[in-house]
Amino acid sequence: MTPGHLSGKILIVEDEPRLAQLLSDYLAAAGYLTCICSDGDAALHMLRQQRPDLVLLDWMLPGRDGLGICQEVRQFSNVPIIMVTAKIEEMDRLMGLETGADDYICKPFSPREVVARVKALLRRAPPGASAPAHSDSVGELVIDTARYQATLMGQALDLTPLEFRLLCTLAQAPGRVLSRSQLIARLHEDQRAISDRAIDSHIKNLRRKLAPVTPGTELIGSIYGVGYKFEGAQVRCVTG
């Protein structure tokens, strides 16, 4: 099937050829460019080279399994990942999500549901999510969402809960400029009490706490009249 308009590139990591081709056909009909891989190591190479917009990742693969692949991908990319597997137990689903997957589909499934999940996840994914960290990054920012802790280049950051959520919001969309209203909306329970001026104040405090760790490098940049963006450090999220 040849789509008239390509909406993005999907990497299908699946060792069952007929199932992989079925997914590819449905996604192509929906306007996506697809590539298929049946091997975990090859999938990692393809992901680094081709930078797909989303990965459909089978859990059970020969050699390295989907969980191991997902963990390694999260070391260098925030590309959306949908885990596809025959495992249906709740603990298995939670394990996949905690490893870094964004969604989970159990076999057998409807190919139309897969396409719908792909569309929904790509709508939520920030632009450039699949891009690897910049080679000129100053170091690694590790965000532990379970413990509300963040470390930069191995040094713990003393952040308030709101500063932590603000840093998470910016760091999870590296290079993307977020307006003050977008930042307010993404801080959830506190959004009613936050003004544009307060966001500026929290950004100032964040910069002050990051500065001693990365002297001479400003990780949170500002675009006059638009908003703020995070760049210059590799980002890794863990769940405790």
Side-chain angles (χ1 to χ4, degrees):
M1 302 180 186
T2 303
H5 173 69
L6 297 178
S7 302
K9 184 188 297 183
I10 311 299
L11 174 60
I12 302 170
V13 186
E14 170 60 63
D15 65 330
E16 296 180 35
R18 284 192 292 182
L19 180 55
Q21 190 59 53
L22 179 66
L23 289 171
S24 178
D25 289 344
Y26 271 83
L27 287 164
Y32 296 99
L33 179 66
T34 65
C35 47
I36 298 173
C37 183
S38 61
D39 176 80
D41 290 327
L44 287 167
H45 177 74
M46 290 177 68
L47 198 149
R48 289 180 181 272
Q49 295 298 316
Q50 300 190 21
R51 298 187 186 181
D53 298 291
L54 183 143
V55 179
L56 282 171
L57 178 60
D58 187 23
W59 185 313
M60 303 301 293
L61 293 166
R64 190 181 313 200
D65 65 16
L67 286 181
I69 295 170
C70 189
Q71 285 179 317
E72 185 160 345
V73 169
R74 286 295 174 251
Q75 301 299 312
F76 64 88
S77 175
N78 291 320
V79 62
I81 296 175
I82 298 179
M83 193 78 76
V84 181
T85 181
K87 293 178 177 289
I88 60 174
E89 297 296 327
E90 181 183 15
M91 285 305 299
D92 292 322
R93 296 198 302 272
L94 292 175
M95 189 182 302
L97 295 172
E98 290 176 355
T99 301
D102 298 279
D103 202 354
Y104 194 104
I105 297 178
C106 293
K107 300 178 182 178
F109 51 76
S110 162
R112 291 185 177 86
E113 179 188 359
V114 176
V115 172
R117 297 278 192 96
V118 167
K119 289 181 177 179
L121 193 50
L122 286 176
R123 280 196 301 267
R124 299 196 300 267
S130 63
H134 297 295
S135 59
D136 59 350
S137 60
V138 300
E140 183 180 57
L141 171 68
V142 180
I143 295 174
D144 188 332
T145 55
R147 295 187 173 89
Y148 257 58
Q149 294 175 350
T151 60
L152 179 60
M153 299 178 66
Q155 297 187 40
L157 300 174
D158 183 18
L159 305 177
T160 67
L162 193 144
E163 289 169 353
F164 177 83
R165 293 198 301 274
L166 183 56
L167 179 61
C168 286
T169 300
L170 289 164
Q172 288 171 358
R176 181 183 178 186
V177 179
L178 298 177
S179 67
R180 291 172 178 81
S181 60
Q182 286 177 313
L183 291 172
I184 292 171
R186 295 187 185 192
L187 292 179
H188 300 301
E189 64 263 30
D190 292 316
Q191 59 184 320
R192 297 179 183 177
I194 301 175
S195 65
D196 286 2
R197 185 171 297 179
I199 286 290
D200 292 340
S201 177
H202 291 306
I203 290 290
K204 182 179 179 181
N205 289 335
L206 262 180
R207 285 171 169 165
R208 178 175 53 81
K209 293 179 179 181
L210 296 173
V213 187
T214 59
T217 301
E218 193 168 86
L219 298 182
I220 300 177
S222 58
I223 307 300
Y224 182 77
V226 181
Y228 298 98
K229 66 177 180 177
F230 181 91
E231 58 185 356
Q234 299 179 26
V235 181
R236 179 163 63 94
C237 293
V238 299
T239 56

